[in-house]
Amino acid sequence: MANTYIEMETLKFLLFNVHDLKGVLQQERFSEYDEESINMMLDSVKDFSDKEMYPYYKEMDENPAHFKDGEIIVHPQVTKYMKAGGEMGFLSGSFSYEAGGMQMPSMVVNASAFIQEAANNHLPGYIGLTVGAAELIEHFGNQSLKDTYVPKMMAGEWGGTMCLTEPQAGSSLSDIVTTAFPNGDSYKISGQKIFISGGDYKGAENIVHLVLARIKGAPAGTKGISLFVVPKNRLDDHGNLEDNNVTTVGDFQKMGQKGYCTTHLFFGDKEDCSGWLVGEPNKGLKYMFLMMNGARIAVGRGAAAIATGAYHASLNYAKERPQGRELQKTGKKDASQEQTMIINHPDVRRMLLLQKVITEGALSLVFLTSRYQDLSQSLPDAESREKYKLLLEILTPVVKTYPSEMGITSINNGVQVLGGYGFCSDYILQQYLRDIRISAIYEGTTGIQSQDLLGRKVTMENGKALQLLSEEIMNSIEESMAYETLRPLAEKLGSKLELTQKVLKSLMGYAKEGDYQRFLADATPFMEFFSTIVVAWQWLDIGREAQKAMISGDASFNAEFYENKIHAMQFYFKYELPKTTGLAEVLMDKQSLTLNTEKQVFA
């Protein structure tokens, strides 16, 4: 079945019915948009993705980006996509009108990107990092940097990256050694960076690198890190591009996302690499986190999209693959019957439903955080903006992690639906599984996100963000209690909020004693516990909106659509939410089995 990598009805239901995009569009910042214009735009993105992205998905895996004769060779569709992205507003959508952008809500920008990523996740990263780099320059750069780089990047003529990781430092940014030497109104940059996605490729006129480095003599640790614009090609005195001594020395061949190049870069091996300071010295990591937080949401969105494409691929297969006979209530099978489609087997249906609740729950979480981002920027009063900023802060590590980790689980079940064929390269499921695996590593691993959630976000401002989130969930529970069919599920979710308080009370005891190593040792199980509850909340909202629409006779979607959402909600509450009971037992167990001690546990 062609182009069945996404269900647009579900996307629009989540946007408008569950997460009230209309309310966001009523804010002055977004007042030039309405439901009709948004739907037309999303439909045009789907049409573009059908024609220019989805058909190249398998091809880009089979013909990966690679290093040859000093440059990165990518699929020709990459350059075409960047150009089209500039023309269609994929790069300028989130920028303000003053910056030359389209000033779209984050909800809409992420919906557009989700469609593209579900079609072909190898392409959107080139645009995503370019947008993030341009946003950093726009937010913190001087007018000269803005004028020089942002228009070209928004047009898709120049690409962009963020360069953090170094061979000896990995995720430990306090250990980076790339150095910036003052040189008049610029700096000489010297060092190397690895794992730079979209770092260079043939066909790009220029790549604008946002590089973390230390100005010579700066303090040690993260306090001494500054941010620099370091283009592959700099402008000479006549406005022409000339080489800036940024050298691609190799690439990384990956298990998935092979069409999305990942490079190893040297800066200044001939001592002629110029960089320009962004903002103030020694504040680079603070600035970079603006881009990293957006990138973390984007990683979660991309993972949700990859899992969605895989879900539809396995669903299509299950509808078309005949195998075996249905087991009758007597426990017997009638061999004289024709073979049944495997979608009729209960265990296959269980795996498909698991895929459905993970993917749609993850997408709902992406739109929720996008909504919080929009409201934190557009509401007229400062107190309300601060509320949504805190809600966004506590959910950012969750929206990055749940789709990434559970997306792997989802696609793994999709491979299982196909049986032996799922393990063969003839079918696309194995590619989706390889592609999504990086999501749990991109922009801070699951362990890093989990420590951020428990160690920083849960405790920030004396627990205010957690309190606000609890209030949001309680509001949903109270609203759902008005529906008899939803009341038992609402009560279950309420009991899980109480369980969360017990778990946190147990864990916070270690923090109060000053034993932070023990406090954070089980941060990853806590992430799984916490995110499972948050997504249950999403499904309660989805089910309630479907129930409400059926009662009111809303014909925006047919009755079967609404019934499917309610059935999926019930599945999540039966099969997924109970897992938190076991996780709570793990989290409140007093044993310390993973801390480094003198005991030789790995002998």
Side-chain angles (χ1 to χ4, degrees):
M1 296 183 182
N3 302 338
T4 51
Y5 52 86
I6 191 173
E7 187 180 75
M8 291 294 288
E9 292 83 0
T10 291
L11 182 141
K12 292 177 180 179
F13 175 72
L14 292 174
L15 270 180
F16 289 102
N17 296 59
V18 178
H19 294 294
D20 188 27
L21 176 56
K22 287 182 182 178
V24 171
L25 298 179
Q26 290 172 1
Q27 304 305 316
E28 184 178 354
R29 178 176 175 82
F30 308 119
S31 59
E32 293 194 16
Y33 296 98
D34 58 23
E35 183 174 1
E36 183 180 4
S37 64
I38 296 300
N39 279 327
M40 287 178 62
M41 188 275 288
L42 293 177
D43 289 340
S44 70
V45 173
K46 172 63 164 56
D47 184 62
F48 172 83
S49 301
D50 285 348
K51 296 173 182 176
E52 302 294 342
M53 301 186 73
Y54 187 69
Y56 300 97
Y57 179 50
K58 195 169 188 288
E59 186 177 311
M60 292 183 75
D61 180 69
E62 294 170 344
N63 300 278
H66 59 280
F67 181 69
K68 182 179 180 181
D69 299 331
E71 60 186 358
I72 303 293
I73 310 300
V74 296
H75 193 284
Q77 202 66 11
V78 173
T79 305
K80 186 176 181 181
Y81 174 66
M82 286 291 290
K83 184 176 185 296
E87 294 170 351
M88 295 184 68
F90 296 164
L91 290 115
S92 60
S94 60
F95 287 84
S96 67
Y97 296 135
E98 292 78 12
M102 300 173 69
Q103 203 163 300
M104 282 185 176
S106 174
M107 292 178 74
V108 178
V109 172
N110 280 319
S112 170
F114 178 85
I115 296 168
Q116 297 168 60
E117 288 161 336
N120 184 338
N121 68 84
H122 296 217
L123 286 168
Y126 292 98
I127 277 180
L129 283 175
T130 301
V131 170
E135 284 181 339
L136 268 178
I137 297 171
E138 181 62 31
H139 274 84
F140 302 112
N142 58 37
Q143 196 60 47
S144 176
L145 290 177
K146 294 178 186 179
D147 293 343
T148 301
Y149 296 103
V150 174
K152 292 280 191 181
M153 296 169 80
M154 283 200 295
E157 296 176 22
W158 292 357
T161 75
M162 61 178 182
C163 298
L164 292 78
T165 309
E166 297 178 8
Q168 81 292 338
S171 298
S172 179
L173 297 180
S174 62
D175 295 317
I176 66 172
V177 296
T178 297
T179 307
F181 302 88
N183 184 40
D185 62 353
S186 64
Y187 291 78
K188 292 290 185 183
I189 307 297
S190 178
Q192 61 176 311
K193 299 287 183 177
I194 60 170
F195 300 148
I196 308 306
S197 299
D200 189 19
Y201 55 93
K202 186 176 182 180
E205 183 183 39
N206 203 6
I207 304 289
V208 182
H209 302 290
L210 273 288
V211 178
L212 290 182
R214 297 181 189 282
I215 298 173
K216 187 172 177 57
T222 57
K223 294 180 180 179
I225 296 174
S226 298
L227 181 65
F228 299 87
V229 170
V230 186
K232 175 185 176 181
N233 298 303
R234 63 194 179 212
L235 293 174
D236 64 16
D237 294 338
H238 304 289
N240 300 313
L241 290 175
E242 64 178 12
D243 182 71
N244 191 36
N245 194 201
V246 179
T247 308
T248 303
V249 297
D251 71 336
F252 296 89
Q253 289 299 308
K254 303 171 294 184
M255 67 181 285
Q257 288 200 331
K258 295 184 177 185
Y260 185 24
C261 66
T262 303
T263 61
H264 184 172
L265 303 176
F266 264 76
F267 298 88
D269 63 331
K270 298 177 182 176
E271 300 183 0
D272 189 28
C273 179
S274 296
W276 287 265
L277 182 66
V278 177
E280 300 177 33
N282 303 331
K283 292 189 177 181
L285 196 58
K286 177 183 177 182
Y287 299 153
M288 185 65 87
F289 265 100
L290 171 76
M291 185 175 177
M292 286 178 68
N293 282 334
R296 285 170 175 172
I297 295 172
V299 169
R301 180 196 69 216
I306 298 169
T308 296
Y311 164 59
H312 285 285
S314 56
L315 177 62
N316 292 339
Y317 181 90
K319 288 179 177 179
E320 297 174 348
R321 166 68 173 173
Q323 185 175 314
R325 279 86 185 164
E326 285 190 73
L327 183 67
Q328 299 173 356
K329 289 184 178 180
T330 61
K332 297 181 179 180
K333 297 180 181 180
D334 186 351
S336 66
Q337 288 184 343
E338 290 187 4
Q339 287 188 316
T340 189
M341 299 302 169
I342 62 171
I343 196 170
N344 296 319
H345 297 310
D347 197 57
V348 172
R349 295 172 71 84
R350 177 191 60 79
M351 290 187 286
L352 290 169
L353 279 165
L354 179 60
Q355 288 183 266
K356 181 180 176 68
V357 297
I358 289 172
T359 55
E360 294 183 15
L363 179 56
S364 183
L365 185 58
V366 169
F367 286 155
L368 175 71
T369 51
S370 302
R371 181 173 183 271
Y372 288 163
Q373 187 174 31
D374 288 330
L375 295 177
S376 71
Q377 295 172 347
S378 64
L379 288 174
D381 63 294
E383 184 177 350
S384 295
R385 291 197 301 273
E386 180 63 18
K387 169 189 171 180
Y388 289 107
K389 181 182 177 183
L390 286 171
L391 285 167
L392 177 62
E393 285 284 344
I394 195 170
L395 284 181
T396 294
V398 178
V399 75
K400 191 273 182 188
T401 302
Y402 179 86
S404 299
E405 290 288 355
M406 291 306 294
I408 295 169
T409 298
S410 175
I411 300 176
N412 191 45
N413 275 265
V415 171
Q416 193 74 9
V417 167
L418 271 65
Y421 285 118
F423 202 67
C424 297
S425 58
D426 307 64
Y427 288 82
I428 204 68
L429 264 295
Q430 49 77 31
Q431 183 180 337
Y432 284 120
L433 187 58
R434 288 186 288 105
D435 284 349
I436 199 172
R437 188 58 188 86
I438 188 64
S439 300
I441 300 171
Y442 272 149
E443 309 306 336
T445 62
T446 294
I448 290 172
Q449 301 301 325
S450 301
Q451 291 192 35
D452 181 44
L453 173 65
L454 180 58
R456 295 189 184 94
K457 303 304 173 59
V458 165
T459 59
M460 69 189 301
E461 296 195 22
N462 294 317
K464 186 175 181 181
L466 180 63
Q467 178 187 344
L468 289 170
L469 183 63
S470 299
E471 290 172 0
E472 293 279 293
I473 298 173
M474 281 305 304
N475 289 339
S476 290
I477 289 172
E478 290 171 9
E479 189 176 346
S480 299
M481 291 291 284
Y483 299 88
E484 186 175 349
T485 55
L486 300 182
R487 195 171 300 138
L489 306 184
E491 290 173 348
K492 280 186 181 180
L493 184 56
S495 71
K496 296 302 180 181
L497 286 185
E498 294 175 4
L499 182 59
T500 302
Q501 292 302 318
K502 292 180 182 177
V503 167
L504 283 172
K505 183 178 179 181
S506 175
L507 293 175
M508 293 300 290
Y510 301 113
K512 289 177 181 177
E513 294 169 0
D515 190 354
Y516 290 99
Q517 189 179 41
R518 179 63 183 87
F519 171 51
L520 294 174
D522 289 331
T524 297
F526 178 79
M527 170 67 82
E528 185 179 354
F529 168 84
F530 190 80
S531 61
T532 302
I533 293 171
V534 168
V535 175
W537 165 41
Q538 293 307 289
W539 271 109
L540 186 64
D541 280 355
I542 293 168
R544 187 181 66 250
E545 291 306 312
Q547 185 76 65
K548 189 187 300 182
M550 292 180 69
I551 292 171
S552 67
D554 185 345
S556 302
F557 307 93
N558 62 38
E560 184 180 25
F561 177 89
Y562 296 129
E563 289 167 357
N564 288 345
K565 297 306 177 205
I566 292 170
H567 188 88
M569 171 192 64
Q570 293 168 336
F571 180 93
Y572 189 92
F573 272 78
K574 175 179 177 178
Y575 286 91
E576 290 298 293
L577 189 59
K579 295 175 181 177
T580 56
T581 301
L583 288 165
E585 183 178 338
V586 170
L587 291 164
M588 292 189 287
D589 192 303
K590 299 300 181 183
Q591 295 182 92
S592 300
L593 301 178
T594 61
L595 299 186
N596 189 19
T597 64
E598 294 181 0
K599 186 186 295 186
Q600 296 297 317
V601 297
F602 298 113

